[in-house]
């Protein structure tokens, strides 16, 4: 995203061109950024060449998954639906891991039939269920057990997953017990210890703590795990206040860990791969002054991008044409939906906007489209991928006929 001759552009295409050609609201992804993110991620950890499983829940567009697959990534899925999309995108089963606290027997059966790399189980009952199904199918199923390391990820409470009050994984005591119970099972192969402590984590220290907890437990169990799955969660900078995640320090901590415990590392990044690749292009429908502030009423709403309403998260908003006229009014960017939480940002000193102007909401590649809904019987936006000056539709705009 940069301004070329005062016009906001994604790769070589101006945001105004996109709005004119395709209408709004529209999600646009930069192929170049996606490629950079993946290559950087690989480079950061190249000394131990991890298996990188893209967290499909962050973006489920099958055409994006096909691109991600071409870089050799696998998939981390959290439902049978996501598994089907990943497989359909051509991702090999031996690069798919399956997480989630409530896998149904149908989902487990499907995963076993497809011979995916790992089912990362999150409770004793789930392991029992997997064992039962494996026995019926006369198979030996590779599983991981997800540990809840009780580590504070220092992120929003809504997206924290590794503390004892969170529903995810099992605590250290149960973990040790489960390893003893299942390490010699006929139908289960205990291959992996997995963790995932949360999302949008900007400090490497929680990961360091998590690695220490894992090491302590590994020293207590009499079993060798082939894989250590460290989950995802690496944060990106959404506003200038966010720092950048220190990959060097995280890499260093993992290398230290590996010196003491030889194993294959798995990562499950979502946001770090796709987050900053996407923008949501939207048009100002009306501007309404309420005395205290100006409501900038957009044609994009919380159904298109739910993160601000769901977590109070802040996304940068940029005008499509840059000017030097700064508004003295406070701008509150809202959508047309009948909910007071349907707002994106409240900003001071924004440049003066007019009705019908185009703006872009930035860094919406992760948990943007994948969290969208049809609330208010609103159709879901179009999705485009931009490569240089080439534009490709990767998902058509939904039509009302499909909904009614
Ligand atoms: C959501 C999730 C991820 C991805 O998290 P990001 O913050 O997008 O990297 C990885 N693993 C599991 C188990 C998850 O639930």
């Amino acid at each position: 995203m940069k301004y070329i001759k005062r016009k906001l552009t994604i790769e070589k295409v101006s945001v105004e061109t996109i709005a004119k050609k395709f209408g709004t609201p529209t999600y646009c992804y930069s192929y170049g950024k996606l490629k950079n993110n993946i290559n950087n991620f690989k480079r950061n950890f190249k000394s131990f060449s991890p298996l990188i499983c893209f967290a499909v829940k962050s973006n489920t567009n099958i055409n994006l998954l096909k691109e991600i697959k071409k870089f050799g990534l696998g998939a981390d899925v959290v439902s049978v639906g996501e598994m089907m999309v990943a497989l359909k995108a051509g991702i090999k089963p031996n690069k798919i891991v399956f997480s989630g606290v409530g896998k149904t027997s149908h989902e487990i059966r499907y995963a076993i039939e497809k011979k995916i790399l790992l089912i990362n189980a999150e409770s004793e009952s789930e392991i029992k269920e997997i064992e039962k199904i494996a026995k019926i199918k006369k198979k030996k199923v590779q599983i991981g057990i997800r540990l809840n390391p009780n580590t504070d990820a220092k992120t929003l409470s809504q997206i924290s997953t590794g503390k004892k009050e969170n529903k995810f994984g099992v605590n250290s005591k149960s973990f040790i017990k489960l390893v003893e119970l299942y390490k010699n099972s006929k139908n289960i192969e205990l291959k992996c210890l997995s963790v995932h402590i949360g999302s949008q984590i900007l400090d490497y220290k929680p990961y360091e703590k998590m690695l220490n907890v894992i090491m302590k437990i590994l020293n207590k169990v009499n079993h060798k795990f082939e894989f250590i799955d460290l989950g995802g969660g690496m944060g990106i900078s959404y506003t200038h206040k966010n720092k950048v995640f220190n990959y060097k320090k995280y890499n260093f901590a993992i290398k230290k860990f590996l010196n003491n415990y030889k194993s294959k590392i798995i990562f499950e990044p979502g946001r770090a791969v796709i987050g900053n690749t996407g923008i949501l292009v939207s048009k100002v429908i009306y501007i309404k002054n309420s005395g205290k502030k100006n409501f900038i009423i957009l044609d994009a709403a919380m159904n298109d991008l739910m993160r601000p309403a769901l977590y109070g998260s802040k996304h940068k908003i940029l005008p499509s044409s840059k000017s030097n006229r700064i508004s003295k009014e406070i701008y509150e960017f809202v959508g047309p939906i009948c909910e007071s939480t349907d707002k994106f940002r409240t900003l001071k000193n924004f440049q003066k906007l007019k009705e019908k102007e185009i703006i872009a909401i930035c860094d919406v590649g992760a948990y943007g489209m994948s969290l969208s809904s049809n609330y208010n019987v609103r159709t879901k936006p179009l999705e485009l991928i931009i490569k240089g000056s080439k534009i490709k539709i990767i998902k058509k705009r939904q039509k009302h006929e499909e909904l009614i």
Side-chain angles (χ1 to χ4, degrees), residues 55 57 76 99 146 196 198-200 232-234 268-271 367:
K57 76 170 188 289
D76 163 51
S99 315
R146 178 160 171 185
H196 172 71
S199 199
Q200 184 53 15
M234 298 81 155
E268 303 169 347
R271 196 187 308 272
Y367 310 103

Side-chain angles (χ1 to χ4, degrees), residues 6 37 62 73 93 111 115 184 231 267 285 288 323 384 397:
R6 298 188 160 245
N37 289 347
I62 189 161
L73 271 62
K115 298 194 179 81
N184 297 317
F267 287 118
I285 310 176
K288 177 159 75 172
S323 83
L384 304 170
R397 190 179 301 285

Side-chain angles (χ1 to χ4, degrees), residues 53-58 76-78 99-100 120 122 146 159 161 168 195-196 198-201 207 229-235 267-274 366-367:
C53 294
F54 174 67
V56 174
K57 76 170 188 289
S58 65
D76 163 51
V77 301
V78 293
S99 315
N120 283 336
E122 304 211 15
R146 178 160 171 185
I159 51 177
T161 58
F168 302 97
V195 281
H196 172 71
S199 199
Q200 184 53 15
I201 299 169
Y207 285 114
D229 180 345
L230 299 175
M234 298 81 155
F267 287 118
E268 303 169 347
R271 196 187 308 272
V273 169
I274 201 84
Y367 310 103

Side-chain angles (χ1 to χ4, degrees), residues 61-85:
N61 186 295
I62 189 161
N63 291 303
L64 285 176
L65 287 180
K66 283 180 185 168
E67 298 297 342
I68 289 167
K69 181 220 134 188
K70 285 184 200 157
F71 292 100
L73 271 62
D76 163 51
V77 301
V78 293
S79 71
V80 69
E82 284 189 6
M83 208 186 318
M84 289 159 93
V85 181

Side-chain angles (χ1 to χ4, degrees), residues 76-347:
D76 163 51
V77 301
V78 293
S79 71
V80 69
E82 284 189 6
M83 208 186 318
M84 289 159 93
V85 181
L87 289 166
K88 185 100 190 206
I91 295 173
K92 291 278 177 298
N94 66 5
K95 284 187 176 177
I96 297 179
V97 300
F98 188 10
S99 315
V101 293
K103 302 179 196 79
T104 63
S105 31
H106 164 68
E107 290 182 307
I108 293 168
R109 236 176 282 127
Y110 191 88
I112 293 174
E113 279 161 18
K114 296 294 172 193
K115 298 194 179 81
I116 65 167
L117 180 66
L118 292 165
I119 302 177
N120 283 336
E122 304 211 15
S123 62
E124 179 165 6
S125 304
E126 183 187 341
I127 304 177
K128 274 191 190 142
E129 186 67 18
I130 297 170
E131 192 183 41
K132 195 175 102 192
I133 296 169
K135 210 176 229 167
I136 296 168
K137 289 188 174 294
K138 298 195 174 62
K139 291 231 165 90
K140 191 151 193 177
V141 177
Q142 306 193 148
I143 74 159
I145 303 179
R146 178 160 171 185
L147 169 74
N148 182 327
N150 193 20
T151 318
D152 187 349
K154 303 261 191 287
T155 182
L156 293 171
S157 64
Q158 299 98 320
I159 51 177
S160 172
T161 58
K163 288 195 278 182
K164 63 175 187 287
E165 58 266 36
N166 300 129
K167 68 180 174 183
F168 302 97
V170 300
N171 65 26
S172 309
K173 219 172 120 195
S174 315
F175 187 92
I176 293 165
K177 183 187 113 184
L178 290 172
V179 174
E180 281 312 309
L181 273 176
Y182 288 96
K183 67 179 186 191
N184 297 317
S185 159
K186 256 183 29 204
N187 298 95
I188 276 184
E189 206 167 344
L190 213 47
K191 282 263 188 180
C192 176
L193 178 156
S194 83
V195 281
H196 172 71
I197 58 172
S199 199
Q200 184 53 15
I201 299 169
L202 288 164
D203 188 355
Y204 75 95
K205 286 193 199 87
Y207 285 114
E208 212 172 42
K209 274 192 194 152
M210 167 190 98
L211 285 166
N212 288 335
V213 175
I214 297 174
M215 190 49 91
K216 253 193 206 149
I217 288 178
L218 289 171
N219 286 333
K220 280 187 197 163
V221 293
N222 183 20
H223 180 72
K224 178 76 178 78
F225 291 97
E226 184 179 337
F227 300 100
I228 303 292
D229 180 345
L230 299 175
M234 298 81 155
I236 61 170
S237 57
Y238 282 104
T239 66
H240 62 277
K241 279 186 199 142
N242 287 157
K243 45 186 174 181
V244 282
F245 184 76
N246 195 329
Y247 281 93
K248 268 207 181 102
K249 292 233 164 104
Y250 190 22
N251 174 56
F252 187 75
I254 298 170
K255 275 168 62 173
K256 206 173 102 191
F257 173 90
L258 288 173
N259 281 339
N260 295 310
Y261 197 87
K262 253 198 151 76
S263 49
K264 176 95 177 167
I265 296 291
I266 300 176
F267 287 118
E268 303 169 347
R271 196 187 308 272
V273 169
I274 201 84
N276 69 357
T277 68
I279 57 169
L280 179 58
V281 180
S282 177
K283 190 179 183 164
V284 177
I285 310 176
Y286 298 122
I287 298 180
K288 177 159 75 172
N289 183 279
S290 77
K292 276 203 169 129
K293 53 193 169 190
N294 273 1
F295 289 105
I296 308 296
I297 304 167
L298 302 175
D299 64 358
M302 65 188 280
N303 76 299
D304 305 304
L305 175 65
M306 174 126 103
R307 297 188 69 253
L310 191 62
Y311 316 123
S313 54
K314 294 188 169 80
H315 287 263
K316 242 180 341 210
I317 298 178
L318 295 174
S320 62
S321 284
K322 202 169 189 156
S323 83
N324 299 323
R325 293 171 297 124
I326 302 298
S327 172
K328 289 192 193 77
E329 311 278 345
I330 294 172
Y331 278 1
E332 184 155 310
F333 291 84
V334 303
I337 279 182
C338 303
E339 296 281 348
S340 291
T341 54
D342 184 24
K343 61 178 177 199
F344 297 110
R345 270 315 274 278
T346 307
L347 294 169

